[in-house]
Amino acid sequence: MQKGKIGVTTENIFPIIKKFLYSDHEIFLRELISNAVDATTKLKALSSMGEFGGELGDLTIRVELDEKGKKLTVSDRGVGMTEEEVNKYINQIAFSGAEEFMKKYENQSGIIGHFGLGFYSAFMVASKVEVITKSYREGSQAVKWACDGTPDFTLEPTDKAERGTDIVLYLAEDSAEFGEKTRIEALLKKYCSFLPVPIAFGKEQKWEDGKYVATDKDNIINDTHPLWMRKPTEITEDQYAEFYRKLYPMADEPLFHIHLNVDYPFNLTGILYFPKIKN
């Protein structure tokens, strides 16, 4: 087992992360899912270039919640990481000190986008985080990284049959809200509804004998092929209207819409709806 200290220059970096990394702590889930999508997309790209010859298999990202144990897990079957990569991408946070950090980012919203800190947003809501990962590279040894919110971490070999990464969050007492199924499902729908990789949260429910029971079918919370990615000639007016009602169920019907497909000077696809103005 390897033991060490994460590469920071202050013992106080984790309290700063917890309080000031993002103004809304709920963002942590968006960040972790985005990382999982990136890892999956990268594997698909490697496969298309012939640099990964294995079977892609089921690439669904899975979010699991243990409500009783207050434990949240985000799992992907993407590229995964080797021990060397964990040391490179997780254990080295290049901050020049808490004082300079605070001075430079007095406006909290200015932090977003300045660092690759998506993973560390987990510590805003978790008292302990584990990363269990195995690289897509043939013959790779799976490793487990664990940290309890201090610069101390452990990194050791572990058993993991499939490639990819599991991030396990042990939720802190002051973040108990994220241990509720309804809260997590709402956040997934809020931030992840149109991500390009399927995201499963539990199983679909059906009404049976006077109660809801779980089926064997994954509860996929996102639409990987949203309406704006399809050709306008394939879409009916009713489908445009239905999509708008799904996004804005309490709004009036829009005046009209424009289906955008721009390729210069940048690529942009989308549907621009014009709502009715009452005043």
Side-chain angles (χ1 to χ4, degrees):
M1 176 189 289
Q2 176 185 350
K3 292 187 177 182
K5 286 187 179 292
I6 294 168
V8 296
T9 57
T10 172
E11 294 290 320
N12 296 321
I13 197 63
F14 280 97
I16 290 174
I17 286 175
K18 190 173 182 65
K19 290 184 179 181
F20 299 111
L21 182 58
Y22 295 108
S23 57
D24 291 327
H25 285 190
E26 67 180 37
I27 296 294
F28 83 94
L29 189 57
R30 183 196 70 183
E31 295 298 302
L32 295 182
I33 296 290
S34 294
N35 285 348
V37 170
D38 288 344
T40 305
T41 303
K42 186 173 183 180
L43 184 71
K44 291 169 70 174
L46 290 170
S47 178
S48 66
M49 293 185 293
E51 295 186 23
F52 171 66
E55 293 291 332
L56 290 176
D58 182 10
L59 295 177
T60 302
I61 294 167
R62 301 187 180 277
V63 181
E64 298 179 6
L65 176 64
D66 177 357
E67 289 186 278
K68 187 175 181 180
K70 299 298 179 184
K71 184 170 70 174
L72 182 67
T73 304
V74 177
S75 303
D76 70 68
R77 296 190 68 250
V79 289
M81 289 181 286
T82 63
E83 181 176 350
E84 180 183 2
E85 288 169 332
V86 170
N87 274 314
K88 180 179 180 180
Y89 297 122
I90 293 184
N91 289 337
Q92 298 299 319
I93 311 177
F95 286 123
S96 56
E99 185 176 351
E100 181 179 340
F101 178 84
M102 292 295 294
K103 184 177 180 181
K104 187 172 183 179
Y105 295 104
E106 290 178 2
N107 177 10
Q108 296 174 22
S109 63
I111 297 174
I112 298 176
H114 281 75
F115 299 109
L117 284 177
F119 164 73
Y120 273 93
S121 65
F123 285 97
M124 296 191 302
V125 301
S127 58
K128 179 182 178 181
V129 177
E130 294 175 346
V131 178
I132 302 160
T133 185
K134 183 177 182 180
S135 173
Y136 74 94
R137 295 178 178 85
E138 189 174 351
S140 294
Q141 168 66 55
V143 294
K144 177 181 177 180
W145 178 94
C147 179
D148 62 359
T150 70
D152 296 304
F153 71 88
T154 60
L155 180 60
E156 59 185 323
T158 192
D159 293 326
K160 180 174 171 59
E162 297 183 335
R163 65 164 196 271
T165 301
D166 303 328
I167 298 180
V168 186
L169 279 62
Y170 296 84
L171 298 170
E173 290 184 7
D174 61 358
S175 298
E177 63 178 292
F178 300 113
E180 299 173 2
K181 180 181 178 181
T182 53
R183 181 74 163 117
I184 294 301
E185 189 164 18
L187 290 179
L188 289 171
K189 290 179 179 179
K190 178 178 180 180
Y191 292 115
C192 309
S193 286
F194 303 110
L195 290 177
V197 179
I199 301 166
F201 182 53
K203 299 295 183 179
E204 288 189 0
Q205 303 281 317
K206 69 176 181 178
W207 186 258
E208 190 175 276
D209 298 329
K211 62 180 180 180
Y212 282 105
V213 294
T215 67
D216 293 331
K217 189 175 181 181
D218 286 333
N219 177 34
I220 304 297
I221 58 89
N222 59 319
D223 181 358
T224 57
H225 299 287
L227 206 63
W228 68 78
M229 296 182 67
R230 294 165 54 184
K231 296 179 180 178
T233 54
E234 300 175 350
I235 307 171
T236 66
E237 289 299 315
D238 286 342
Q239 287 174 314
Y240 279 117
E242 181 184 355
F243 185 65
Y244 185 80
R245 284 194 296 269
K246 181 179 178 181
L247 292 176
Y248 309 104
M250 304 303 292
D252 293 334
E253 293 294 312
L255 289 172
F256 61 95
H257 65 265
I258 298 174
H259 197 132
L260 303 172
N261 191 349
V262 180
D263 56 15
Y264 183 83
F266 51 83
N267 183 261
L268 171 66
T269 58
I271 303 172
L272 185 60
Y273 289 95
F274 289 79
K276 291 179 180 177
I277 304 298
K278 293 183 179 180
N279 54 1

